Amino acid sequence: MRSFRFLLSRRWAAFALAVVLLAGGAWWLGEWQFGRLDDRQARNEVVRTNEAREPAPVDSVLEPGAAVAEDDEWRLVEASGTYDVANTVIVRYRSGPSGEPGVDVVVPLVTESGDTLVVDRGFLAIVTRSANIGDVPPAPAGEVTVTGWVRADGTGDSTEVDDLSTRAINSQQIGEAIDRPTYGGFVDLVSEDPAIESPLVLRELPDLDNGPHFYYGLQWWFFGVLAIFGFGYLAYDERRRGPRGDRPHRPRKQQRPEDRPRERRTNVPAAYQRKS
C-alpha cells in the first residue's frame, strides 16, 4: 500500500484546490439561503403582527416624502379624500391570481390635508399582448374613505412614469408626474366607502410560509460534503491501488462454448414455426 505523498503532486494539489473552492462556495450558498429564510421569517412576523392590528389613520403611519418603515409595511390604514381620476396611473405587466395578464389601476387620493395618497385600487385583466386595456371601472365620485395595506415604494428604472404609465409603483415618481405632494409608500386597497358595483380584483396578503430556503440551504451543504467525501474516496483508492492509468488491465472473460445458447433444431418448415 502506497503512502499519501502523491497528494503533493501538481495534479492532486489542483484537484484539492478545486474541491476547497467548491465546498467553500457550497457552504456560502447554504448560508445565503438560511439568511434568506431568516429574512422571510422576520417579514412574516411583521405581516402577522400588522394583520391583527386595527386600521390606523394614514397620518400616524405615513409621512409625505418619507420612506415606509419596515415594521409598518402591511399595516392597515384609513384615509378620506377625493380621487383624482384624471391622473389615474396604469401599472403594466401585472399578473392576476390565476396568472392572467393585466394591469394595476392606481388612482391618487387627495386627502383633507392636501397631501396625496397613492392608492392601488386593484388588478384589471386585459387581452394578451394588447395595448388597449379597455374600460377601467370608475372610482367612487366625491368624498370617499379607503382602507388598505401599506406598501413600500418600488425602486429602479421600472418606476419611471411615462404618460401616466409605469411598471412599478413609486409614490415620489407618481407625485412628480402629476405635480402633487404624496405620502411615502402606497396603499393596496382593501375596501372603499362608498363601494362601486364592479370592483377590481384586490391584492391578497403575501404567503406566510417559509418557502424553499431551508431545503435549498441543506442541498448546498450536502453538495459541499459530497465534494469532500469524493476527494477523500479517490485519494484512498489511489493510495490502495495506484493511479488509474498504471493499473493492470483485466482481460475480458471469454465465453465458454458450453455457456453459449444452444440453437433449437426442428423439422418444421420455417413458415409454420411458432414465432417467439
Side-chain angles (χ1 to χ4, degrees):
M1 186 177 289
R2 306 172 62 218
S3 67
F4 282 107
R5 281 190 175 183
F6 63 88
L7 294 176
L8 301 177
S9 65
R10 181 178 301 178
R11 178 172 64 92
W12 276 95
F15 186 21
L17 178 61
V19 170
V20 169
L21 293 176
L22 179 61
W27 178 266
W28 181 86
L29 288 170
E31 286 287 334
W32 173 64
Q33 286 292 342
F34 285 117
R36 294 189 65 188
L37 174 63
D38 291 340
D39 293 342
R40 182 154 185 162
Q41 290 175 335
R43 188 207 67 172
N44 290 346
E45 186 60 30
V46 169
V47 175
R48 291 190 184 97
T49 300
N50 288 337
E51 183 183 7
R53 301 170 73 176
E54 293 294 326
V58 67
D59 290 331
S60 66
V61 179
L62 301 180
E63 297 180 11
V68 175
E70 291 185 5
D71 292 341
D72 287 332
E73 189 162 15
W74 298 104
R75 179 79 185 275
L76 203 59
V77 296
E78 287 183 341
S80 296
T82 306
Y83 278 125
D84 183 8
V85 179
N87 284 317
T88 298
V89 177
I90 300 301
V91 186
R92 300 188 179 274
Y93 310 116
R94 294 298 174 100
S95 297
S98 302
E100 66 272 24
V103 298
D104 276 6
V105 180
V106 174
V107 186
L109 180 75
V110 183
T111 64
E112 299 171 351
S113 65
D115 294 314
T116 299
L117 178 65
V118 177
V119 179
D120 184 348
R121 296 191 60 246
F123 171 82
L124 176 66
I126 63 173
V127 179
T128 307
R129 298 180 181 177
S130 173
N132 182 16
I133 65 173
D135 295 330
V136 177
E143 187 78 10
V144 61
T145 299
V146 303
T147 304
W149 304 109
V150 170
R151 301 294 309 280
D153 284 323
T155 58
D157 295 339
S158 60
T159 61
E160 295 180 0
V161 180
D162 182 17
D163 193 23
L164 296 181
S165 176
T166 185
R167 289 178 292 157
I169 304 174
N170 181 283
S171 59
Q172 182 178 356
Q173 294 280 359
I174 292 177
E176 293 176 357
I178 65 177
D179 196 22
R180 285 185 179 278
T182 61
Y183 289 98
F186 64 98
V187 166
D188 274 337
L189 183 68
V190 173
S191 65
E192 51 192 6
D193 184 22
I196 61 174
E197 295 182 0
S198 302
L200 298 165
V201 179
L202 301 181
R203 189 171 305 281
E204 299 178 352
L205 286 171
D207 293 332
L208 298 182
D209 57 22
N210 290 329
H213 307 298
F214 177 78
Y215 299 102
Y216 285 170
L218 289 182
Q219 285 177 4
W220 281 117
W221 283 1
F222 173 77
F223 291 152
V225 172
L226 186 63
I228 296 174
F229 174 81
F231 177 85
Y233 173 78
L234 293 176
Y236 169 78
D237 182 65
E238 182 155 328
R239 178 176 181 266
R240 183 169 62 92
R241 301 171 58 188
R244 289 180 177 271
D246 298 341
R247 296 174 189 175
H249 176 70
R250 291 185 177 181
R252 185 176 179 181
K253 184 178 180 181
Q254 295 182 353
Q255 191 176 33
R256 296 178 299 177
E258 55 269 25
D259 294 335
R260 295 175 183 173
R262 296 181 179 180
E263 182 181 357
R264 189 178 64 175
R265 297 180 179 180
T266 178
N267 295 325
V268 179
Y272 296 97
Q273 292 182 12
R274 178 180 298 176
K275 305 296 183 181
S276 58

